[in-house]
Amino acid sequence: MASFAAAAIATRPFLGRLTARIGRRAVMMTGASIAASAGALIGLSTSLWHVIALRGIMGAGEAMVFVAAATLIADLSPPHRRAEAASYFSVAVFGGIGLGPSIAEWVLGDDRFATAFLVAAGFSAAAAIAVLGVPARVDRAQPAPGKLPFFHRAALWPGLVLASGIAAFATYAAFIPEYSLSVGLSGSAGLFFVYSLVSIVLRIGGAKLPERMGAHFMVTVALTTLASSLLLVGLVGEPWALWVSAFGMGTGMAFLYPSLMANVVNRVSDTERATALSSFTMFFEIGSIVGGVALGAIGEIYSKPAGFVGGAVLAFSGLWVLWNRVIEARQPDQRPVGPTPITAS
């Protein structure tokens, strides 16, 4: 898991330039093909170092798909609806994350590991083929004049806010399976089902809320809800607290990413968009590593409730960064930065 995240982080600084130079579709197809090849080879691996290396290659491929797809979504969205578009896009992202493990357990059975990895590779290959359905007319391959930076400064503070929320969720996801057993539940599957259902429903039904209520307000709701849910489960060791926290985690994660992505995109020119998004999405992995390693260590050394409380502290830290360092993106009635974006019509 660490090699996947580390490779994705190391790859992202180069993806902005690559996406701007050869176009979104080419990067998506290349990344999906790389992930498919590495995934298939994992099923044939005979040593741990093979798996670690191939997982790193998968991380690079998945990063290519995500950055190029997110950039294309931003290209197709008018400035005043980018948070809404990001919300719909995230349904696909988290829907795949939620569906994948269920399919894997069914295919795996007792010990069909090679088959499971081959099926996973098949999904990546299907993604590469699906890129052919993206019309060429909506793609962009126009290198910016001058030299694009490896990291875009516009992504720094929104990215740190995102990382704080992702780290908080990573703590929850890592600890809740075992912790749920200790408080009397039979397992955590129901909790994750509630989380997923709430998150997907709000991402679809509440997609327009960031533009209506304001991006800062919705991210404040997201981080406050994440922190409160982690405090509840960390301080109250009762089954009901875990069910309430699952609802809260779903609410928080539903509204965290879309508004922050729109904030970044609306503050850069069209030629900088891919670089800004590659820099911003890097913080997904940064948050996962912080949540999994730092707070994981706290949970193992002290207790899992202490880890939950640590996750809440990180979420509140993100709230401070949001209100003191993140500048509100320009409003849609102001002149947008750069050329008029491509629209779906």
Side-chain angles (χ1 to χ4, degrees):
M1 295 297 290
S3 66
F4 183 97
I9 292 173
T11 303
R12 287 185 195 275
F14 302 94
L15 293 182
R17 296 182 179 187
L18 184 65
T19 303
R21 183 171 298 277
I22 69 174
R24 286 57 161 146
R25 295 190 309 157
V27 174
M28 290 169 65
M29 182 175 291
T30 302
S33 299
I34 289 173
S37 301
L41 289 173
I42 287 179
L44 305 176
S45 300
T46 57
S47 299
L48 177 60
W49 75 266
H50 294 162
V51 178
I52 292 175
L54 289 169
R55 279 291 295 174
I57 295 172
M58 285 185 68
E62 295 281 1
M64 295 175 71
V65 175
F66 188 89
V67 169
T71 304
L72 186 57
I73 292 294
D75 291 342
L76 294 170
S77 310
H80 65 284
R81 298 187 66 188
R82 282 186 177 135
E84 179 186 355
S87 186
Y88 296 141
F89 174 57
S90 67
V91 172
V93 176
F94 288 94
I97 293 173
L99 186 62
S102 300
I103 296 175
E105 287 190 3
W106 175 68
V107 174
L108 177 63
D110 294 327
D111 60 355
R112 296 189 296 269
F113 289 99
T115 303
F117 282 114
L118 286 173
V119 171
F123 277 105
S124 292
I129 296 172
V131 175
L132 296 173
V134 179
R137 63 183 176 80
V138 304
D139 201 359
R140 287 180 176 176
Q142 47 181 36
K147 202 170 184 180
L148 289 170
F150 283 107
F151 182 87
H152 202 295
R153 290 181 297 175
L156 176 60
W157 296 114
L160 287 174
V161 175
L162 176 67
S164 69
I166 296 298
F169 175 75
T171 307
Y172 179 86
F175 289 163
I176 208 67
E178 185 177 344
Y179 187 68
S180 63
L181 298 175
S182 69
V183 301
L185 294 179
S186 59
S188 60
L191 297 174
F192 280 107
F193 175 78
V194 170
Y195 154 77
S196 300
L197 181 63
V198 170
S199 185
I200 290 174
V201 168
L202 290 178
R203 280 194 176 101
I204 297 174
K208 297 179 183 292
L209 287 177
E211 273 84 24
R212 292 177 178 175
M213 307 298 294
H216 270 55
F217 176 79
M218 295 311 300
V219 179
T220 298
V221 169
L223 290 171
T224 302
T225 306
L226 289 174
S228 301
S229 299
L230 287 169
L231 283 177
L232 177 64
V233 72
L235 299 177
V236 181
E238 298 290 340
W240 68 265
L242 270 65
W243 289 110
V244 174
S245 72
F247 185 91
M249 295 301 291
T251 302
M253 291 301 291
F255 295 126
L256 180 66
Y257 168 74
S259 297
L260 290 171
M261 192 213 80
N263 179 281
V264 172
V265 173
N266 287 341
R267 291 165 55 208
V268 301
S269 66
D270 287 3
T271 55
E272 298 173 308
R273 186 174 296 153
T275 300
L277 280 174
S278 67
S279 301
F280 173 66
T281 55
M282 182 191 307
F283 288 91
F284 272 106
E285 283 81 20
I286 293 174
S288 297
I289 291 175
V290 171
V293 177
L295 295 178
I298 292 175
E300 292 301 321
I301 294 172
Y302 297 100
S303 66
K304 288 182 173 56
F308 290 131
V309 173
V313 171
L314 275 180
F316 280 129
S317 299
L319 197 59
W320 183 90
V321 174
L322 174 70
W323 283 101
N324 290 276
R325 291 292 183 267
V326 178
I327 302 173
E328 185 76 71
R330 63 174 66 224
Q331 298 300 314
D333 60 337
Q334 293 178 291
R335 185 175 59 87
V337 178
T340 303
I342 300 172
T343 61
S345 59

